[in-house]
Amino acid sequence: MASSSSSSSLSPRNINKYDVFLSFRGEDTRDNFTSHLYSALSQKSIQTFIDDQLNRGDEISQSLVYAIETSAISLIIFSEGYASSRWCLDELVKILQCKREYAQIVIPVFYRVDPSDVRNQTGPFGDSFSKLEERFKENSEKLKSWRNALKEAASFSGFDSQNFRLESELIKKAVHHILKRLAEMSPRNYKNQLVGVESRVKEIESLLGAESKYVYTLGIWGFGGIGKTTIARAIFDKISSNFEGSCFLQNVREESQRPGGLAYLRQELFSKLLKEENVILDIDLNFRRLSSRKVLIVFDDVTCFNQVESLIRSLDWFMPESQIIITTRDKQILRNWGVKKIYEMKALMFNHALELFSRYAFRQNYPDVGYEELSRKVMEYAQGVPLALKVLGCFLFEREKEVWEDAINKLRRILHPSIQEVLKLSYDSLDDKEKNIFLDVACFLNGEDIYSVMKFLETSGFYPEIGISVLIDKSLIAVSCNKITMHDLLQGLGREIVQQESINRGNRSRLWHHEDIYEVLTHNMGTEKIEGICLDMSKVKEIHINSNTFTKMCRLRFLKFYSSIEGENKCKVSDFQGPGFAEVRYLHWHRYPLKSLPSNIQPEKLVLLEMPHSNIQQLWDGVQHHGKLKQIISVVCNIFTNTPKPLLIPHLDMLVILNLSGCSKLKRLPDISSAGNMQKIFLNGTAIEELPSSIECLRGLLGLYLEDCKSLKSLPNSLCNLKSLAYLNLNGCSNLQRLPESLGQLSSLVELYLEKNNLERIPESIVHLSKLKFLFLRYSQRLQSLPKLPCSLFKLDARRCMALESLSGLFSSYESYRQNFDLSNNFKLNQNQLRGIVEDAMLEIQIMATTRWKEEEQNRYFPSCDGLVILPGNEIPTWFRFKSMGSSITLPPGCLSNKKLLSFAFSAIVAFPHHHFTERKFRLFGEFKVKSYIKKKKEKNQYFDPHVIKISLGVVNFVDSDHLLLGYYFTIPLTITHPHDWEYNIVPEAVRFGVEKATGSESLDIECKCCGMRKWGIHFF
């Protein structure tokens, strides 16, 4: 195709008047090829200049010169008689002048002539030129300029009609190419005027890129104002030229609600796709016509399935490779249409959000001096939502700083009406139960554990399984890491809806702002309307609550008095009267001041009960309440002054989590056989001496936490019947002397913590713990031996087990792809066993390397694979091929030239100076100096300058004497094969090893120069 360039700054015109200038010989092509080409260009809305003047003078007119100069592209149609026209040749000379001066794009079309005949003025084309040559033989300069112009223009890449069976194919190809060149030459507005769009357009293009035998559907999903329409318009503008018909139907929801709206939208759809202003109103006929066209349709802001169904009936009407994009707030609509891919709109990143806001607030891409901090506050409020950024930018434009401060404070409590109007559309589409869930999350539950939320909403009668699903589909909430979350603007919407319920704060259904709650509680303004109260006590002064303050709040479901800053209880009360707590499901009161719960509470309705740092002595008076607590009793520090009485924990059949951590005088638990649904028990820091044998009844128990139970001496054998137990923490149980021999029966155990205890041995049955990933034994001063460990083990930390003398084989066909074993500072280990560990490691690493090679040869996916062992030692194993006394190793030329993977084992002898803190961690790394080249078939290799690849090899703890580090790393492909018959190859030339300081997983990127790195070794597989 023709070489391209964009518009030059040398151009005398500020903007192109025409997209295309057609240069042609009228007698040859005006009534056939050129007329058809012009029609095709016009149908694509390409502004094309065509000279309809049949009688021409000796010189081209000034208007024609102007048309050439103000065109982006010149399309030259070389026909047999083209060179017989002085007019055509003068046009050609002018076109090439514009190419040189204005970087105009020139595309030749060789219509029934050979390009070489045009270039050399030979053949029938040359005969035509010869006739003109006779007329101008006295004007050699003119002839020379024409010859040079023909030679130059014919050398450009263009279209040769001889390569097309049908002229229609040639025209279609040429028009498509012109559209593409225009797009390249004049960047789309979305690049110049929109922010943060280009990367998203590329992401969506990648989703649309794959060719399909069927109609391809894509959904763009997100809540109102997040930018769905903007991104859909940008992608439509960019790719619509690839289709025979295209239509962007905007505001489908709004238009369909008007009388005759769907009929109007259908008419517009057919008109755009068929390119006819007055399209025939025969729906079946129009669909049959569309079935032979590749089309692109965008349905914008669809709110129900019927809207699209009424417009297109079915996807079966459309030609394969057609594409349909739907933007919506409701994911269920996309599922109903069988959408192939769903693109979720995310908020703008901070830098893009600031730029977009600045364009509206300051009419530039950055804030004015002095407004940076105020702009940052707006960014925190808008949270990257384009609608909010634009609205607030316009609202704050040219306002004083004092106004900005006041406006920002106001926005924290009152949502801007323009933002609320857009967001509330999604809320209005909910039913009453779903609206209640939305308001509960907005006012109280944002950021809470999803399991607790579901239980609370279930007991409130809101059907949360379907309700939460609907809210997620409508992008009103999200669930991430088992937490329910809501965007700040949506939270603001929910709270604004509640505030609009009544001017009187006591008549609102939910209270969360400390000023509102203080007024209601202090002046006893509560009514039956109040369903929930959530107060951060650190934000208020002392509140004296009357005994009948809650009496009128007969519908109260949620009560949370917490403190974001540790402090005293600010809510003072002597007792409670009346039925105010009868409907409470969720009760959290930090430093609750009374000794028992309100007598009118209905324990069978409680879902969550938390009384942290309270002095409560019993939960409620009387035995008539069975306490069906469905979630958590969180009792921290001084809840129990003595062993709890059976009355205190009467019926535990629904209790899920029991937390008695910090009850330092708690010595035993009562019978807990009724707690069949218990999932976690926290007894950390208690004086517990033994566990009841009835613990075996807790078949669903997942976690048992007994850290720092220094009075615990043994565990009951019945503990090993807990088939669901995944986490067992016995750290710091300094009097624990033995573990049950049947420990291996804990078939679900994943993590076992045994640090700082007095165990002398580990039961041999531990090898049967097939799911065990983590085993922590460090500072177990009396531990003398380790049995064979399970193959599933990922991490073993047995540092400073000073009495440890023997191991039963560390490597034995481990299943884990990543292994980290720390045996540092165990100097009593038998030297023969240490050598055996090293030999076993070599064999295990060799087996894994062989497996990796087989997977690579079969083009199978395999995860990254690395591991590290540290143990006492001062020699690099003999089987390492390359060794060095320093940290750098230069590799012999060609030693890796036939490798496809960077698979290697490494070893080092290290010791850290005494002035390093003993708990400091160090990160190992390897820097590979590599050269790379591209290998192509039948071509020379293309080489690139050497560069360095840095690989993290793991983290090690302080060791004050020589230790052997032994590790492996299998992951980097050295040869990458591409589909166009070429390979990208990487060849390592040298490697340097080192360590750098690290804090946990955070590298400080400071090389530890003073660390003693005695020797290094590396072995490639």
Side-chain angles (χ1 to χ4, degrees), residues 120-181:
N120 302 312
Q121 297 89 58
T122 57
F125 186 88
D127 295 340
S128 296
F129 183 72
S130 297
K131 295 176 183 178
L132 187 65
E133 198 173 25
E134 279 295 319
R135 292 168 50 197
F136 289 90
K137 58 185 176 182
E138 302 298 330
N139 193 343
S140 59
E141 287 300 319
K142 175 70 75 172
L143 289 172
K144 183 179 180 181
S145 68
W146 289 341
R147 284 188 180 276
N148 290 339
L150 289 168
K151 183 176 181 180
E152 181 181 354
S155 66
F156 299 150
S157 178
F159 297 93
D160 187 348
S161 65
Q162 298 176 83
N163 296 330
F164 295 86
R165 187 172 64 87
L166 301 174
E167 284 188 5
S168 60
E169 293 178 0
L170 168 59
I171 290 173
K172 181 179 179 181
K173 193 80 171 179
V175 170
H176 177 76
H177 180 67
I178 288 170
L179 281 169
K180 183 178 179 182
R181 302 314 296 272

Side-chain angles (χ1 to χ4, degrees), residues 39-58:
S39 176
L41 291 168
S42 298
Q43 284 185 357
K44 290 292 185 179
S45 299
I46 298 173
Q47 296 297 317
T48 306
F49 180 87
I50 183 170
D51 183 14
D52 293 323
Q53 187 175 347
L54 299 179
N55 299 314
R56 295 179 172 180
D58 292 333

Side-chain angles (χ1 to χ4, degrees), residues 232-443:
R233 171 60 73 179
I235 194 70
F236 178 85
D237 288 344
K238 187 169 186 182
I239 69 173
S240 58
S241 62
N242 299 329
F243 297 84
E244 296 169 284
S246 59
C247 179
F248 191 104
L249 282 184
Q250 195 161 346
N251 297 327
V252 170
R253 172 192 57 80
E254 185 177 339
E255 292 293 338
S256 64
Q257 291 174 350
R258 296 175 179 173
L262 285 173
Y264 168 78
L265 288 173
R266 189 184 303 112
Q267 184 77 3
E268 182 181 359
L269 178 67
F270 287 143
S271 178
K272 293 285 182 64
L273 295 180
L274 296 171
K275 299 187 172 90
E276 296 176 6
E277 289 189 14
N278 300 311
V279 68
I280 299 173
L281 297 179
D282 188 323
I283 297 175
D284 291 336
L285 173 61
N286 289 331
F287 275 126
R288 285 198 298 273
R289 294 173 66 190
L290 287 175
S291 65
S292 61
R293 295 192 181 194
K294 177 183 171 183
V295 299
L296 169 67
I297 307 174
V298 175
F299 294 108
D300 174 55
D301 195 17
V302 176
T303 54
C304 71
F305 176 81
N306 291 338
Q307 290 166 350
V308 179
E309 186 182 40
S310 297
L311 293 172
I312 62 173
R313 297 183 180 177
S314 167
L315 298 178
D316 297 336
W317 287 104
F318 297 99
M319 179 180 176
E321 299 184 18
S322 292
Q323 294 182 351
I324 294 178
I325 299 174
I326 300 174
T327 76
T328 183
R329 306 178 186 208
D330 191 345
K331 188 186 283 188
Q332 185 62 35
I333 293 172
L334 303 177
R335 294 195 195 100
N336 291 340
W337 269 103
V339 168
K340 303 296 183 185
K341 296 285 185 179
I342 298 177
Y343 182 84
E344 181 181 358
M345 289 293 298
K346 301 290 188 180
L348 292 174
M349 297 181 67
F350 181 87
N351 59 326
H352 288 147
L354 183 60
E355 181 180 347
L356 180 61
F357 171 72
S358 298
R359 289 187 180 187
Y360 288 87
F362 306 105
R363 301 303 189 260
Q364 59 191 18
N365 291 341
Y366 48 86
D368 283 346
V369 175
Y371 282 82
E372 296 88 351
E373 181 61 22
L374 290 169
S375 297
R376 186 189 62 79
K377 291 180 179 179
V378 176
M379 295 303 99
E380 291 178 356
Y381 173 78
Q383 294 287 303
V385 176
L387 169 70
L389 295 165
K390 294 176 184 179
V391 169
L392 298 178
C394 293
F395 178 65
L396 295 170
F397 176 58
E398 290 191 343
R399 295 186 188 269
E400 299 298 326
K401 289 183 181 180
E402 295 77 13
V403 178
W404 277 57
E405 289 280 7
D406 199 44
I408 292 170
N409 291 332
K410 179 182 177 182
L411 287 169
R412 287 171 177 159
R413 292 205 64 179
I414 303 173
L415 195 64
H416 191 284
S418 298
I419 300 173
Q420 179 179 334
E421 180 183 359
V422 174
L423 296 181
K424 195 170 181 290
L425 291 171
S426 295
Y427 174 82
D428 290 339
S429 69
L430 304 175
D431 66 26
D432 289 342
K433 303 295 185 185
E434 293 158 358
K435 286 178 178 177
N436 272 301
I437 294 175
F438 177 81
L439 296 179
D440 275 354
V441 175
C443 296

Side-chain angles (χ1 to χ4, degrees), residues 35 170 337 374 415 460 525 581 633 660 784 809 850 912 949:
S35 65
L170 168 59
W337 269 103
L374 290 169
L415 195 64
S460 297
M525 295 169 55
F581 290 92
I633 299 177
L660 302 176
Q784 297 179 10
T850 302
F912 302 106
I949 297 175

Side-chain angles (χ1 to χ4, degrees), residues 9 722 817:
S9 59
L722 300 177
Y817 287 112

Side-chain angles (χ1 to χ4, degrees), residues 125 196 465 501 765 808 819 843 852 935 989-990 995:
F125 186 88
E465 289 290 347
E501 291 174 351
S765 63
S808 295
Q819 300 164 4
L843 180 60
R852 288 296 173 273
K935 181 179 179 182
E989 294 182 327
V995 293

Side-chain angles (χ1 to χ4, degrees), residues 10 70 85 87 141 156 184 198 203 263 281 372 376 473 493 503 669 728 754 782 812 820 833 921 924 983 1012:
L10 297 175
T70 56
S85 169
W87 190 291
E141 287 300 319
F156 299 150
E184 293 172 353
E198 190 169 358
E203 291 174 5
L281 297 179
E372 296 88 351
R376 186 189 62 79
D473 284 347
L493 168 67
I503 298 176
L669 288 179
L728 178 58
L754 300 171
R782 298 181 62 187
S812 55
N820 191 311
Q833 287 196 330
K921 295 180 182 293
L924 271 70
E983 291 182 349

